[in-house]
Amino acid sequence: METRKLYYEDCHLDTFTARVLECEAVEKGYSVILDATAFYPEGGGQACDLGTLGDARVLDVQEENDRIRHLCDRFLSVGTEVTGCIDMARRFDLMQQHSGEHIVSGIVHSLLGHHNVGFHVGTERMEIDFDGPITQEQLLQIETLANRAVWENLPIKCWYPSETELPNVFYRTKKALPWPVRIVQIPGYDSCACCGVHVERTGEIGLIKLLSCVKFHQGVRIELCCGSRALALTQKIFEENRQVSNAFSAKITETGAAARKVNEALAGEKLRANSLQSQLFDKIASEYVGCRRAIRFENALQPVQVRELADKMAAFCSQWAAVLSGEEGNYSICIVSKQGDVSAPGQALKQQFGARGGGKTGFFQGSVCATADAIERTLEAL
Ligand SMILES: [Zn+2]
């Protein structure tokens, strides 16, 4: 006997009673078949419903030859009546996403002729793959039209056309389907073969927000979210933007320009800092004119700066120049020689302190874990 599909009769039915027809132990619990159910089974890109049947939790729902199998965590006595409760927050969210997806796919199809070739609902957003390109401009147009479909609060019609009626019904489909086919129609926006559960009217979908559009295979992948998810995401983004607005003392609608301005100023400051540092390094290096060797400790230099300073100092030293920077006991080091090689100081630091690093003739860069005094003594003893 096929299970009566209450979810197709009333998409908002969250509580129902039904008779247990079968209950058999399976690997992960008990497989239960009822004479009727409001639990939607996984299918058509829509996840199954979760909830309870009597005292049992419903962990999974699958359709099998028009019979709906509920995977429960407890045994239910055959012949008894049970009350089923659907996790309606979850179901409503999934309906909002799925109905929103139909609207967007229908608009893309009628506007650009692209087909929906993939659809996935994730935990935060969903993805639709299309077999053709979509520009940023078109994306905005699609989003506006999709939301207009919501404002119009259109009834969503789901039905099985008769065998004679079906050939005259237009619907999007991935392949030709044999009768019977369930059609989900959103007047003026979409008609599609689908077995999912949808909201009754488009107004229930709430905001439809397209998030991104990237090249994917021969077409594009659009990320979007609808309803409660779109609201939650908008609230989160708004709060982030409010903080950016406060940090930049910019109007909430002008944070992009403020961020660009700060980036430009920062780039200018970086140039200025580099130029000043270069001048400072020249001045430091000039202190070593005519020296044989030089060892210098500096605060908070990046490895690239350690190298730059060592390079400049080495130009005035007849043997080598070593620059170290970091915290006591853990230094970044660079030794440079313009005349010869630096294998002697490099090896000494490796042997004495297990320094890491290497380089080529006339150049050693790495790190050494020792105190400044110990490093200085070792290098000066060479
Ligand atoms: Zn569908």
Side-chain angles (χ1 to χ4, degrees):
M1 186 178 115
E2 80 182 48
T3 314
R4 186 173 157 195
K5 296 165 178 173
L6 301 173
Y7 47 84
Y8 279 162
E9 296 172 24
D10 178 0
C11 67
H12 292 289
L13 184 67
D14 59 357
T15 309
F16 66 99
T17 54
R19 191 166 297 281
V20 179
L21 300 182
E22 279 179 28
C23 179
E24 58 177 20
V26 290
E27 198 190 335
K28 289 175 180 165
Y30 297 91
S31 177
V32 176
I33 290 181
L34 307 170
D35 60 349
T37 188
F39 279 92
Y40 177 72
E42 182 184 0
Q46 189 168 339
C48 72
D49 287 332
L50 300 177
T52 54
L53 273 180
D55 293 334
R57 286 196 306 136
V58 176
L59 311 170
D60 187 26
V61 188
Q62 297 290 331
E63 180 163 6
E64 192 187 286
N65 304 326
D66 278 325
R67 280 152 58 103
I68 312 296
R69 287 199 174 274
H70 310 73
L71 178 67
C72 296
D73 67 348
R74 287 194 191 189
F75 176 80
L76 296 173
S77 298
V78 172
T80 56
E81 285 236 314
V82 282
T83 300
C85 292
I86 310 286
D87 175 350
M88 219 19 155
R90 172 188 159 88
R91 155 78 85 74
F92 187 62
D93 166 60
L94 292 174
M95 291 197 296
Q96 284 183 316
Q97 309 312 312
H98 197 161
S99 299
E101 178 266 316
H102 274 231
I103 289 176
V104 171
S105 295
I107 290 169
V108 169
H109 186 261
S110 61
L111 215 59
L112 306 168
H114 303 337
H115 298 93
N116 169 328
V117 289
F119 165 49
H120 171 73
V121 183
T123 50
E124 284 181 357
R125 40 191 76 177
M126 59 180 157
E127 298 161 348
I128 317 176
D129 300 336
F130 293 102
D131 58 0
I134 297 175
T135 65
Q136 195 56 38
E137 224 176 10
Q138 289 164 341
L139 207 66
L140 278 177
Q141 189 189 0
I142 294 160
E143 185 179 72
T144 306
L145 283 172
N147 281 284
R148 186 166 296 159
V150 172
W151 308 334
E152 288 172 16
N153 199 21
L154 303 161
I156 297 182
K157 185 183 172 193
C158 307
W159 88 109
Y160 288 92
S162 69
E163 206 164 357
T164 49
E165 187 191 358
L166 186 65
N168 303 316
V169 176
F170 165 80
Y171 61 95
R172 290 187 295 113
T173 178
K174 283 175 196 160
K175 52 181 192 272
L177 299 170
W179 184 84
V181 177
R182 183 166 180 267
I183 302 292
V184 174
Q185 220 167 51
I186 301 166
Y189 290 92
D190 189 42
S191 182
C192 183
C194 176
C195 59
V197 208
H198 289 265
V199 293
E200 263 174 350
R201 301 186 80 95
T202 56
E204 294 176 65
I205 298 167
L207 178 64
I208 297 177
K209 186 70 199 138
L210 305 189
L211 307 171
S212 69
C213 177
V214 294
K215 232 179 115 41
F216 187 73
H217 294 312
Q218 303 307 313
V220 291
R221 168 169 285 178
I222 286 184
E223 260 194 326
L224 69 159
C225 58
C226 305
S228 53
R229 295 183 187 201
L231 177 64
L233 182 67
T234 309
Q235 286 169 334
K236 195 168 170 226
I237 292 170
F238 192 88
E239 173 54 22
E240 286 293 323
N241 195 44
R242 192 189 61 77
Q243 290 179 31
V244 174
S245 149
N246 280 351
F248 289 161
S249 302
K251 283 185 188 166
I252 203 125
T253 50
E254 292 169 7
T255 47
R260 279 193 297 280
K261 218 167 120 188
V262 167
N263 271 343
E264 279 163 21
L266 199 62
E269 286 306 309
K270 267 186 189 162
L271 276 178
R272 206 169 73 89
N274 284 342
S275 157
L276 285 173
Q277 189 172 59
S278 186
Q279 287 175 42
L280 179 64
F281 284 180
D282 285 338
K283 190 154 172 32
I284 291 172
S286 71
E287 293 171 20
Y288 297 92
V289 171
C291 287
R292 201 161 64 91
R293 299 166 178 175
I295 304 167
R296 188 174 182 101
F297 287 85
E298 280 288 330
N299 281 329
L301 294 186
Q302 300 291 326
V304 60
Q305 296 165 329
V306 169
R307 183 176 175 174
E308 189 187 338
L309 181 56
D311 217 43
K312 288 190 167 178
M313 283 164 53
F316 297 114
C317 297
S318 57
Q319 274 197 352
W320 47 256
V323 175
L324 298 100
S325 184
E327 288 168 13
E328 176 69 332
N330 186 8
Y331 290 98
S332 166
I333 183 169
C334 186
I335 311 171
V336 178
S337 170
K338 297 292 178 187
Q339 282 78 27
D341 78 323
V342 293
S343 51
Q347 279 305 115
L349 292 175
K350 280 187 175 178
Q351 278 168 11
Q352 196 81 19
F353 310 114
R356 293 163 168 276
K360 49 184 196 279
T361 312
F363 169 73
F364 173 90
Q365 185 152 26
S367 61
V368 55
C369 293
T371 63
D373 274 354
I375 294 167
E376 219 163 345
R377 271 200 308 275
T378 301
L379 291 177
E380 275 169 356
L382 289 171

